[in-house]
Amino acid sequence: PVPEGVAGDGELRSIYEAEAREKRLPIFFLGWQHDVVSLMRNCEVILCTSDNEGTPISLIEAQMLGKPVITTNVGSIGEIMIPEATGFLMEYTPSAFSDKINLLRENSALYEEFSRNAREFAHKKFTIDRFIQDYAQIYNELLSVKPR
């Protein structure tokens, strides 16, 4: 099997590394990554198993690359992906993550659909042109308000 990689860091990393070694799992712990986009280009799906998030830009970047996301339902994640269309949004359980990974692995049509949807959604909602348009609209609305 192809080795799996875990990017990121945190207080539980050493525990997971020890468990992976003990069980002889083909998992590489990559630590904190500065160039996440290059890393994601080599991935099939992107997981976010956090129990606390704000708005993870990495999930937006993943979708722009056409990568389905499998993520916990925390923070603003529900606003930056479409559940059951660009990936899966769920409560955290290891078996649930495993089930969704296997579903995408075994169903190439679903994987391709999620990949296409992710790319289209992210490029529609999160491009620089879209942000400029949204800011321009806000400024125009503010300029049209008459002082009291």
Side-chain angles (χ1 to χ4, degrees), residues 5-100:
V6 177
D9 209 345
E11 59 194 40
L12 300 176
R13 179 179 169 187
S14 61
I15 294 169
Y16 293 135
E17 284 179 316
E19 185 174 345
R21 276 192 307 277
E22 178 183 314
K23 294 181 178 181
R24 298 177 188 255
L25 298 174
I27 300 173
F28 291 101
F29 290 84
L30 305 171
W32 185 258
Q33 298 291 303
H34 294 283
D35 186 6
V36 177
V37 173
S38 292
L39 184 65
M40 285 192 286
R41 279 191 175 94
N42 295 308
C43 298
E44 294 178 31
V45 297
I46 305 300
L47 307 181
C48 177
T49 61
S50 298
D51 60 6
N52 184 17
E53 282 290 340
T55 304
I57 303 303
S58 60
L59 295 185
I60 295 170
E61 293 167 329
Q63 292 174 101
M64 286 191 147
L65 294 169
K67 308 296 180 177
V69 297
I70 303 174
T71 180
T72 49
N73 188 10
V74 294
S76 297
I77 290 177
E79 297 172 27
I80 62 167
M81 56 92 62
I82 304 172
E84 307 296 323
T86 67
F88 297 108
L89 179 68
M90 59 196 174
E91 299 304 318
Y92 179 82
T93 64
S95 61
F97 272 84
S98 177
D99 291 347
K100 297 304 184 188

